[in-house]
Amino acid sequence: MSGGLISEVAAGLVVPRPEGWEQLDAPADSVVLAHPPVPEGHFRPNLVLRRSESDSVSLPRLSTAALAGTLVLPGTHIISNELWHQQLDPQGALVEGRQQRFVRVAEGQVVCVDRWLFSDCGGSLEATASYALEQHTGMRPLFEDMVFQMRRAAPVAAGAPASPAGAQPRLDPAASRLLQTAAEDLAPLRAEQRHRVSGQVIGPESLSLLLSMANRDALGRFDAAGAGESAAQLQALGLLDGRRLTPSGREFVQPLRGLQAQFTVSAVGPDGSTGMDAWLGAGSALVAAGPSASEMQSTVMPSGSCELLCIDAAALPVFLAKWLPLVPAWTAGQYPLRLSGDLFERRLNGGSDVEAPVGLGEAEARMWAQPWVGWNVEHVHSGRKLGWVTAGDAGPFLATADPRNGGVALEPEPASAVWDTLVDFILAAAQGAFDPR
C-alpha cells in the first residue's frame, strides 16, 4: 500500500486501488475500479483499464483513432492530447504514451474524462478515468496518481520492436521535430471543434431590458411603452408574454436572482475584439457571448448582438472551452518568451507581420508565426483575472505582466493545464472563495 492505494493484480497489471473502492464485473480484458457508491443523481467516479492484444499499432495511429472516435460522441469537446511518459515495468525505462482529456455534456451531467494510451507489447493499453466536473479538484489528481503508479505484473522480454501495422496518420512535422517524437497532426481537431451558435441571438438593448428584470416578473406600464422594439424582441424569443416573463424568461433570469459569481471574458487579436459575460447562480448560468474568439469577423450575428443561453452551471467551463476555443495543440518550449509591453501589443493587434525579436529559438519562432488571440477571464466582484495567448498550432501561453517594467512573459502551458485552472477558478468563485475588492 502506498499513499492510501492498495495494489492488486488484474488484467496483467499491478493496479492501485484506493481503500473502499470496488472492482466491478468487467470483460476479461478490462478492469473497472469504482468509487464507493454515491447518492442517486450523482456521478460515480470510475477508472476503466483495457488491454487489446492485436497487431502492433503505432502510438500516433492509436491516438488519432481514439480522438476520431471521441469526436463523434454527442455533446463532447476534446480539450487536449499530450505526451505522457511512464515506467510500466518496475525497473524498466520510461514508455511514451498519450494523455487525452475531453468533456461530455449528457443527461443533465457534465462528465470529465481523462484517457491514457500506450502502444504496448504488440497491442495497446488504455486507462480511462471519468468524474463529474464538480468533482474535478479532488478526482483529477487522484486518477493521475493511480495511473502513474500502474505497472505490468511481469516484465516484458526485450526484443526488436514490431513494425506498426496499417496506414499511419498524418504527422505534424514541426511538433515532431521539437518534441523529438512522432507527433500526430492535431489541426483537423481544431477545425472540427469550431464554436457554432446554438443560443438565441439578441440585441444589446433587449439584453439590457432582460437584465433589468432580475428582481421583477413584469415590466411596468411605462417601461413597456418605452422599451418598444426591445420588448418585442423578447416577446419573439418567448421570454416575455406581453409585459410578463414567461416560464422560459424566468428560467433565464434565475441565475441573476441567486447570483453566486459573475465573469467577463474578453479576447483580442488582429481581426478585432470580442467578449462574453456570464452570471452563475441557482444551479444555472446565463451567458451572453459575442462572436467566438476564433471568428471575430463572423457575420452570423448582427453587429452588437450576442448569443444568449441559459445552461447548467457545470456546463459553463465547457461553453467557455468551445467559445475560446480551448483545443488540442502540441506545446513545445520550456522558457517564457519575454516581450516589452509595446511589442506585445503590436504583435497581438498586428499579427505575425510584426518583426520578431532577434534570436528566437525554433519553438518561439513557431509560436510567433502562428495567429494569436489574447484573452482573459475576470471574476467581476473580486477583480481576480487570468490571461493567456492562444497561438494556433503552438497552443496556449500563460500571459503574465511584469509591473516593474510593463513587460509581458508568455509561458508555454499545455491545454490541459489551462482547463484545470479555468475549472478551479470558476468552481472557487461559485463557492465564494474570492474576497471582494
Side-chain angles (χ1 to χ4, degrees):
M1 177 173 171
S2 174
L5 299 178
I6 303 169
S7 294
E8 57 186 44
V9 177
L13 296 167
V14 177
V15 181
R17 174 175 58 84
E19 291 183 276
W21 285 46
E22 301 177 28
Q23 182 173 334
L24 305 182
D25 292 338
D29 60 349
S30 301
V31 179
V32 179
L33 302 179
H35 186 281
V38 297
E40 185 176 353
H42 293 261
F43 187 82
R44 188 179 186 184
N46 62 85
L47 177 68
V48 180
L49 305 174
R50 296 187 183 91
R51 180 181 289 281
S52 173
E53 303 296 345
S54 60
D55 292 336
S56 181
V57 178
S58 73
L59 186 56
R61 184 184 175 199
L62 185 66
S63 172
T64 301
L67 292 170
T70 301
L71 194 60
V72 300
L73 297 175
T76 298
H77 183 78
I78 302 173
I79 302 290
S80 62
N81 177 67
E82 294 159 3
L83 299 183
W84 176 269
H85 292 90
Q86 179 155 338
Q87 189 182 42
L88 289 177
D89 284 322
Q91 305 299 325
L94 290 176
V95 175
E96 182 179 316
R98 294 287 185 271
Q99 182 183 23
Q100 300 175 343
R101 178 165 295 170
F102 58 95
V103 61
R104 294 197 64 197
V105 181
E107 300 179 357
Q109 287 190 317
V110 179
V111 178
C112 301
V113 182
D114 287 355
R115 177 168 58 204
W116 292 263
L117 297 168
F118 301 92
S119 181
D120 184 56
C121 306
S124 62
L125 180 63
E126 176 181 330
T128 304
S130 302
Y131 48 95
L133 184 132
E134 57 268 23
Q135 299 163 338
H136 173 273
T137 302
M139 287 293 106
R140 182 199 59 77
L142 172 62
F143 281 125
E144 194 165 277
D145 190 40
M146 289 171 67
V147 171
F148 191 70
Q149 293 191 40
M150 185 176 67
R151 298 289 185 268
R152 295 190 185 100
V156 174
S163 299
Q168 299 307 303
R170 185 170 60 187
L171 301 180
D172 181 329
S176 298
R177 187 168 56 252
L178 286 165
L179 299 172
Q180 299 183 336
T181 190
E184 54 273 21
D185 184 10
L186 300 177
L189 276 178
R190 294 192 288 279
E192 287 289 334
Q193 296 196 123
R194 287 187 178 276
H195 175 73
R196 294 172 176 83
V197 174
S198 60
Q200 309 272 27
V201 176
I202 189 171
E205 294 82 6
S206 300
L207 175 62
S208 294
L209 184 61
L210 181 66
L211 296 179
S212 76
M213 302 188 74
N215 297 307
R216 55 180 177 169
D217 283 341
L219 293 172
R221 183 178 303 171
F222 294 109
D223 288 338
E229 294 182 5
S230 299
Q233 185 176 34
L234 294 181
Q235 292 164 359
L237 295 175
L239 303 178
L240 276 184
D241 182 4
R243 293 188 287 117
R244 298 194 65 82
L245 287 170
T246 64
S248 179
R250 289 194 295 274
E251 179 184 341
F252 270 64
V253 300
Q254 196 60 39
L256 304 174
R257 297 179 175 183
L259 188 64
Q260 295 170 278
Q262 181 180 348
F263 304 93
T264 61
V265 185
S266 58
V268 62
D271 292 334
S273 61
T274 187
M276 63 175 278
D277 293 282
W279 298 264
L280 192 65
S284 58
L286 178 65
V287 178
S292 69
S294 61
E295 297 182 320
M296 296 182 193
Q297 297 300 315
S298 172
T299 58
V300 173
M301 293 186 289
S303 178
S305 296
C306 66
E307 177 184 8
L308 186 71
L309 306 95
C310 187
I311 57 179
D312 187 85
L316 178 58
V318 185
F319 180 87
L320 189 56
K322 293 180 177 180
W323 185 86
L324 284 168
L326 185 59
V327 290
W330 291 114
T331 302
Q334 298 179 342
Y335 305 105
L337 174 61
R338 300 186 185 279
L339 305 174
S340 68
D342 175 67
L343 180 55
F344 173 73
E345 292 294 334
R346 286 193 289 114
R347 174 59 184 82
L348 190 60
N349 293 285
S352 58
D353 290 340
V354 173
E355 186 175 355
V358 176
L360 290 185
E362 186 176 0
E364 291 77 18
R366 170 181 177 246
M367 179 260 199
W368 191 271
Q370 293 292 315
W372 285 17
V373 173
W375 55 275
N376 62 58
V377 180
E378 180 175 359
H379 177 242
V380 172
H381 299 296
S382 69
R384 294 188 182 224
K385 184 184 294 187
L386 302 170
W388 288 267
V389 168
T390 298
D393 291 345
F397 289 72
L398 180 66
T400 306
D402 187 337
R404 297 169 299 178
N405 56 23
V408 177
L410 299 175
E411 184 172 1
E413 189 166 70
S416 61
V418 179
W419 168 255
D420 291 343
T421 300
L422 284 176
V423 171
D424 289 344
F425 185 74
I426 291 172
L427 290 178
Q431 293 163 3
F434 300 153
D435 294 327
R437 55 181 157 187

